[in-house]
Amino acid sequence: MYILTIKELAAMTGVSTRTLRYYDEIALLKPVDYTEAGYRLYNQQSVDRLQQILFYRELKMPLAKVAQAMTQSREQVFHEQRKALQQEHERLEKLLHVIDDALGENRMINEQKFAAFKQEKLAEQEQLYGVESRRKYGEEAIKASYTKYQDMTEEQYKEMQAVEALLIEALRQPSVDEAYVVALHKQWLLFTWVTYTPKMHKGLVEGYLADERFIAYYDRQAGQGATQKLYEAIQHYA
């Protein structure tokens, strides 16, 4: 038999001295003796009892029940605690299902919103450029491009927007890196184009310069003359 001070017991078990004093107050773990100065002292049996208390606490057992459990057989305690843990497990499983259903519902709503957004964009594109696009590229090419756009995921759409933002930033620069601009514009086109050739690329930007709508689109974002810069870069490097 050996004697430990409250500080030594705390250091050995990792339980704070404040907790040990509280266990004493509620008669869960009483000291075996006191020093002349009134300090609590513990022995090996105290250590064993504390380890058992900590084990029950690890099982999520309330302190009020721990004292009762200490008077019961371990087998009985385990059966009761297993039942309680199983009930808690089932409760958490139900909560997880509720959360998963909510996430799935939100995902579906977002997908529906994005699909509607793409349909709106396609309708706008058709109204603005549908007739001339078909005349220039043919019905099958336009249909294939629309299908590719409809199949685009939200992540791909965000990537497409990011590429366009890089293109606009490159066109804003006083000294334009033409090869870089061409690569970005080609990358942007391939999000919706099924077939690409340099000839198609050059033909597209020729149409840009002939259409005030495109001139306004690029010049408004990247500065006056941006559409001309884009045209010249593609004519040189595409």
Side-chain angles (χ1 to χ4, degrees):
M1 172 177 160
Y2 58 87
I3 298 297
L4 298 169
T5 65
I6 190 171
K7 288 185 177 180
E8 289 171 335
L9 181 59
M12 176 186 291
T13 61
V15 179
S16 69
T17 56
R18 181 178 180 181
T19 298
L20 291 172
R21 286 193 292 270
Y22 179 67
Y23 286 174
D24 180 11
E25 291 171 14
I26 63 175
L28 186 59
L29 181 66
K30 300 294 292 182
V32 295
D33 204 351
Y34 295 87
T35 67
E36 291 182 3
Y39 293 110
R40 295 168 176 83
L41 297 172
Y42 301 88
N43 61 10
Q44 179 60 50
Q45 285 71 35
S46 304
V47 175
D48 294 341
R49 182 176 176 84
L50 180 57
Q51 288 177 336
Q52 192 171 0
I53 292 169
L54 294 176
F55 176 72
Y56 289 150
R57 292 293 286 151
E58 186 66 23
L59 293 177
K60 308 301 181 186
M61 187 181 292
L63 276 176
K65 278 193 161 187
V66 171
Q68 178 185 352
M70 300 292 284
T71 65
Q72 300 173 313
S73 70
R74 287 173 66 101
E75 185 177 2
Q76 182 182 354
V77 173
F78 288 164
H79 277 302
E80 292 177 358
Q81 199 60 20
R82 189 186 189 287
K83 182 179 179 181
L85 289 171
Q86 181 64 36
Q87 290 173 342
E88 178 65 8
H89 173 73
E90 291 170 1
R91 185 183 74 84
L92 292 174
E93 282 287 327
K94 288 177 182 177
L95 284 175
L96 285 172
H97 284 310
V98 169
I99 292 171
D100 288 342
D101 288 344
L103 288 173
E105 184 177 340
N106 288 340
R107 186 162 50 248
M108 186 178 297
I109 290 172
N110 289 337
E111 288 173 356
Q112 289 171 344
K113 285 182 178 178
F114 184 58
F117 168 78
K118 288 187 291 185
Q119 283 298 117
E120 183 181 336
K121 284 293 184 181
L122 283 177
E124 181 182 322
Q125 177 76 12
E126 178 65 22
Q127 182 179 1
L128 291 173
Y129 311 111
V131 174
E132 54 201 277
S133 295
R134 281 173 172 76
R135 184 170 61 247
K136 193 165 189 176
Y137 302 108
E139 179 68 32
E140 290 303 314
I142 298 304
K143 187 184 294 185
S145 178
Y146 282 5
T147 299
K148 191 171 183 180
Y149 185 83
Q150 284 177 320
D151 292 342
M152 188 183 298
T153 65
E154 191 168 0
E155 289 71 25
Q156 289 171 327
Y157 183 78
K158 288 177 180 177
E159 186 180 348
M160 181 181 178
Q161 287 182 306
V163 170
E164 185 178 31
L166 290 174
L167 172 65
I168 296 300
E169 184 58 33
L171 288 171
R172 282 199 189 106
Q173 303 308 311
S175 179
V176 175
D177 184 340
E178 292 188 331
Y180 178 57
V181 163
V182 173
L184 286 173
H185 195 253
K186 178 181 177 181
Q187 185 181 355
W188 180 75
L189 289 174
L190 288 174
F191 280 99
T192 54
W193 279 21
V194 178
T195 303
Y196 171 90
T197 66
K199 183 178 179 180
M200 291 171 62
H201 200 171
K202 291 177 180 180
L204 176 70
V205 292
E206 285 173 3
Y208 283 4
L209 282 185
D211 193 323
E212 290 296 329
R213 294 169 298 183
F214 285 104
I215 294 175
Y217 180 79
Y218 284 105
D219 285 18
R220 183 177 63 251
Q221 296 185 86
Q224 188 173 0
T227 313
Q228 181 68 35
K229 292 178 184 178
L230 178 61
Y231 167 80
E232 291 174 359
I234 290 168
Q235 295 303 318
H236 293 161
Y237 286 96

